[in-house]
Amino acid sequence: MNIKKRTKPLILQKYEVLRTRLKSDFPRVHHIEREYGKYLKGYMGEVNVDYFLQFLEPISTILQDICLKVGGKSVQLDNIIISQHAIYIVEVKNYSGTIIFDTTLNQFTRDDGKNETGFSHPIAQAKLQQLKLQNWLQHNGYTNIPIYYLIAISEPTTRIKVIGDTESIAKVVAHGERIPHIILDIEKKLENPNKILHQKIGHLMLRKNIDFDRDIMQEHRIKRQDLMNGVKCTNCERLGMQRTPRSWVCPKCGHKDRHAHYLAIREYLLLFPWITNPECKNFLQVDSRHMVNKALKNVNLTYEPAHKRWLRK
Ligand SMILES: [Zn+2]
């Protein structure tokens, strides 16, 4: 059973808002576009692999996109599959062209037809995740559960090439569609008289899951004044809906929406942790303090009187 389905990651949602709100003369626009493209591609790859992993649902507990805290550090995992015999970490990687594992030199490179580029080794990354997950399980009273890691290549056209020990790589790296078969083969070989209570561990992970987040505004040095103000049309997504006494109207497509300002407030609070009344007035481009106050009260926020600001919960 899948008890935590993948949703669009918070960071990807942030980039989507940024792309529509960032002023065009912002100096690092191209860098942001590149990062957005990377996140989007990664997410699409994960969704591709989800299709194949769902065939394991009858025999396991599956959690997608999980982030756990271990000893003050966090471990983020694309997929966790818990069966009666073992836990499988499935990390999804998105590479185009040919990927080359050199087991003698312990190197990992990608050849896109033009250049050969070195990347951080996906197996080394997965091993570290395995270790962190093992620590987390121990910390929560579970010992001696075998943990396997697998690397799913999301793009079916990616060529996987091995220099050296092909067998050792083939055991852990495969295209998404082969991953369920690899897991089922391992399952057949495992004989564990004490069956793992996979639902119980799965629900514990779900309870301890934290939302993986990063302050991309700080990373890209984006200030509030770098964003365009205004209410976005809930139909054509253009900025600049106009306030009428009872509603919002889009001058471009004529769409009317009484609640259009809530989308703008949500977007703002996705990027920033708090908002003040004057900031909100400015962002929505309205004059009415009263209207802004009412709107902020209707959103699930906490008011901090000392700073006269509304905080994300
Ligand atoms: Zn419109």
Side-chain angles (χ1 to χ4, degrees):
M1 195 181 162
N2 185 333
I3 59 166
K4 186 181 179 291
K5 290 208 161 76
R6 189 176 316 286
T7 52
K8 197 184 274 180
L10 210 52
I11 296 168
L12 185 57
Q13 291 182 42
K14 289 184 182 189
Y15 275 113
E16 282 181 351
V17 172
L18 264 189
R19 293 181 78 226
T20 58
R21 288 273 181 191
L22 203 59
K23 288 181 181 164
S24 57
D25 60 355
F26 184 76
R28 290 173 295 281
V29 159
H30 297 297
H31 183 56
I32 287 159
E33 276 298 311
R34 220 174 28 243
E35 286 293 294
Y36 164 72
K38 224 166 67 184
Y39 269 96
L40 182 65
K41 229 170 121 186
Y43 174 59
M44 302 297 276
E46 286 163 11
V47 171
N48 282 347
V49 173
D50 290 345
Y51 171 77
F52 299 109
L53 297 185
Q54 70 178 335
F55 296 109
L56 296 167
E57 282 180 24
I59 60 148
S60 63
T61 297
I62 300 181
L63 296 101
Q64 295 169 334
D65 195 14
I66 277 282
C67 188
L68 300 168
K69 270 243 147 79
V70 201
K73 296 224 167 71
S74 58
V75 54
Q76 201 206 350
L77 302 143
D78 293 339
N79 298 280
I80 294 184
I81 296 158
I82 316 167
S83 76
Q84 286 187 333
H85 306 108
I87 295 180
Y88 303 87
I89 297 171
V90 179
E91 281 305 289
V92 179
K93 295 287 174 190
N94 190 300
Y95 304 106
S96 46
T98 303
I99 51 172
I100 307 147
F101 291 88
D102 185 329
T103 58
T104 314
L105 297 171
N106 198 22
Q107 264 176 6
F108 174 74
T109 44
R110 191 208 51 191
D111 185 351
D112 66 358
K114 290 183 215 137
N115 302 305
E116 245 183 58
T117 325
F119 280 88
S120 63
H121 206 299
I123 295 180
Q125 283 175 10
K127 275 185 182 163
L128 188 64
Q129 285 175 312
Q130 180 193 35
L131 192 66
K132 285 180 177 175
L133 184 61
Q134 194 179 26
N135 289 344
W136 185 88
L137 286 165
Q138 257 167 18
H139 184 77
N140 285 282
Y142 292 98
T143 48
N144 302 323
I145 298 180
I147 305 172
Y148 293 83
Y149 59 83
L150 294 163
I151 291 147
I153 306 300
S154 61
E155 200 53 57
T157 54
T158 305
R159 279 192 61 215
I160 306 168
K161 200 170 136 186
V162 182
I163 301 170
D165 185 359
T166 309
E167 207 182 319
S168 72
I169 298 297
K171 269 187 198 163
V172 289
V173 181
H175 286 108
E177 63 178 349
R178 262 196 62 218
I179 299 288
H181 304 288
I182 297 179
I183 291 179
L184 291 174
D185 282 346
I186 299 172
E187 284 285 288
K188 272 184 218 153
K189 287 177 204 143
L190 289 174
E191 291 217 4
N192 188 350
N194 303 317
K195 293 210 162 99
I196 298 171
L197 299 168
H198 56 92
Q199 295 98 333
K200 201 178 162 197
I201 299 178
H203 282 283
L204 178 67
M205 284 181 182
L206 190 60
R207 275 204 307 280
K208 302 269 180 165
N209 175 55
I210 50 169
D211 267 338
F212 180 70
D213 198 6
R214 264 177 37 204
D215 188 353
I216 64 167
M217 303 303 276
Q218 203 184 347
E219 279 170 34
H220 296 295
R221 303 195 302 281
I222 303 168
K223 303 220 161 51
R224 287 165 200 242
Q225 56 267 31
D226 294 322
L227 300 182
M228 289 189 278
N229 295 323
V231 169
K232 199 182 276 176
C233 174
T234 45
N235 180 49
C236 73
E237 295 190 343
R238 284 195 182 99
L239 274 176
M241 282 191 109
Q242 281 161 12
R243 184 77 184 154
T244 61
R246 310 211 69 198
S247 189
W248 293 90
V249 182
C250 174
K252 304 272 167 32
C253 75
H255 179 66
K256 283 186 192 155
D257 187 345
R258 279 181 64 191
H259 303 294
H261 54 292
Y262 287 113
L263 173 67
I265 297 174
R266 253 203 322 276
E267 289 190 338
Y268 192 96
L269 288 165
L270 194 59
L271 301 177
F272 302 108
W274 50 266
I275 191 165
T276 65
N277 203 309
E279 264 165 12
C280 189
K281 252 174 71 185
N282 184 39
F283 194 63
L284 301 178
Q285 298 279 285
V286 291
D287 298 324
S288 166
R289 252 204 98 190
H290 174 71
M291 180 248 168
V292 165
N293 220 2
K294 200 173 139 200
L296 289 172
K297 269 185 192 156
N298 278 340
V299 187
N300 194 18
L301 302 170
T302 308
Y303 187 65
E304 205 183 44
H307 296 99
K308 291 187 177 169
R309 61 185 189 182
W310 298 84
L311 303 178
R312 237 173 19 205
K313 272 188 185 165

